[in-house]
Amino acid sequence: MIVPAVLSFSHALVRQAIDEGGIAVDATTGNGHDTQFLAECVGPAGKVYAFDIQQEALARTKQRLNERGIANRVALIHAGHHEMDQYLPVEIRGKLQAVMFNLGYLPHGDPTVITRPETTLPALETATVWLTPGGVLSVVLYTGHPGGPEEAEHVLQWAQSLPPKTFQVMHYQLLNRQQAPSLVLVEKRKQAA
Ligand SMILES: C[S@@+](CC[C@H](N)C(=O)[O-])C[C@H]1O[C@@H](n2cnc3c(N)ncnc32)[C@H](O)[C@@H]1O
């Protein structure tokens, strides 16, 4: 297929921002697919910080990483992403090459535990500060669960308000599939435009 699926498109774009030995954050660890992806991108010399409010998600991710022998590249953090700056080492502020958000609820978990705009938006704002110039922030939005459309609307409004001198922002969406996920990608410019 020529038209990419949202998740694989996000990976294709994020991969371009990450070097071997780089540093990245998974802000919504869930079942660990994105954490694994980031850990593979940064390689053995890199580091991924992965946040989730559910111990169950972190346990599933730990198992996934252990099975692949890459757990030592990842710090699993049982905390909300809006508390990111209390958990990340201060020396990596402004050095993150990628931050990934995959909003909504944990697949095969409790569907009532969802990401919420009141914590998602502060976390996105913090992420833009911790990104390195040339780094990217990816946000996958879902509208098929209660609260999803409102959260997606908040994120889109926030993304549209980012200053174009500092950030390039895109929104990728399949137009003919109702409730398909969509992708917001924010690139922090290397030089102000
Ligand atoms: C759609 S899942 C993420 C899927 C994951 N990226 C993957 O690759 O499997 C969303 C996750 O966000 C988590 N979550 C909800 N609110 C959160 C918050 N404030 N901070 C961090 N994680 C949160 C949920 O517990 C859930 O595991």
Side-chain angles (χ1 to χ4, degrees):
M1 249 195 320
I2 295 172
V3 174
V6 163
L7 292 178
S8 54
F9 192 38
S10 79
H11 284 194
L13 296 174
V14 167
R15 186 178 286 119
Q16 294 179 51
I18 303 181
D19 299 316
E20 283 266 327
I23 312 167
V25 165
D26 186 350
T28 51
T29 303
N31 290 316
H33 297 95
D34 293 327
T35 307
Q36 178 193 339
F37 160 75
L38 290 170
E40 288 167 352
C41 287
V42 300
K47 195 77 190 175
V48 177
Y49 297 86
F51 291 84
D52 206 291
I53 54 172
Q54 294 192 78
Q55 198 68 63
E56 186 184 356
L58 298 172
R60 290 185 197 174
T61 299
K62 189 174 183 183
Q63 185 180 348
R64 167 176 284 276
L65 299 172
N66 279 336
E67 284 166 4
R68 288 158 181 83
I70 55 175
N72 59 347
R73 304 175 194 177
V74 179
L76 293 170
I77 301 167
H78 187 204
H81 39 226
H82 52 293
E83 301 172 297
M84 206 183 299
D85 54 6
Q86 295 169 39
Y87 286 89
L88 296 177
V90 68
E91 60 272 17
I92 67 166
R93 190 179 161 101
K95 296 191 177 157
L96 299 182
Q97 293 186 316
V99 182
M100 297 186 78
F101 287 75
N102 192 321
L103 302 179
Y105 60 89
L106 176 66
H108 314 293
D110 182 349
T112 65
V113 181
I114 55 172
T115 54
R116 296 178 185 279
E118 54 271 30
T119 41
T120 301
L121 292 182
L124 290 172
E125 196 64 38
T126 302
T128 62
V129 174
W130 285 71
L131 274 184
T132 189
V136 296
L137 166 60
S138 80
V139 192
V140 176
L141 306 172
Y142 296 87
T143 56
H145 63 280
E150 294 77 13
E151 184 177 42
E153 197 46 48
H154 277 98
V155 172
L156 288 171
Q157 278 177 18
W158 169 82
Q160 282 167 17
S161 74
L162 286 169
K165 275 185 190 290
T166 315
F167 299 100
Q168 296 253 67
V169 185
M170 62 156 257
H171 183 211
Y172 174 69
Q173 180 166 37
L174 298 177
L175 288 177
N176 60 346
R177 269 192 60 207
Q178 293 294 314
Q179 300 192 338
S182 70
L183 169 69
V184 168
L185 192 102
V186 176
E187 177 179 357
K188 192 169 187 175
R189 287 178 182 272
K190 283 194 175 151
Q191 285 165 343

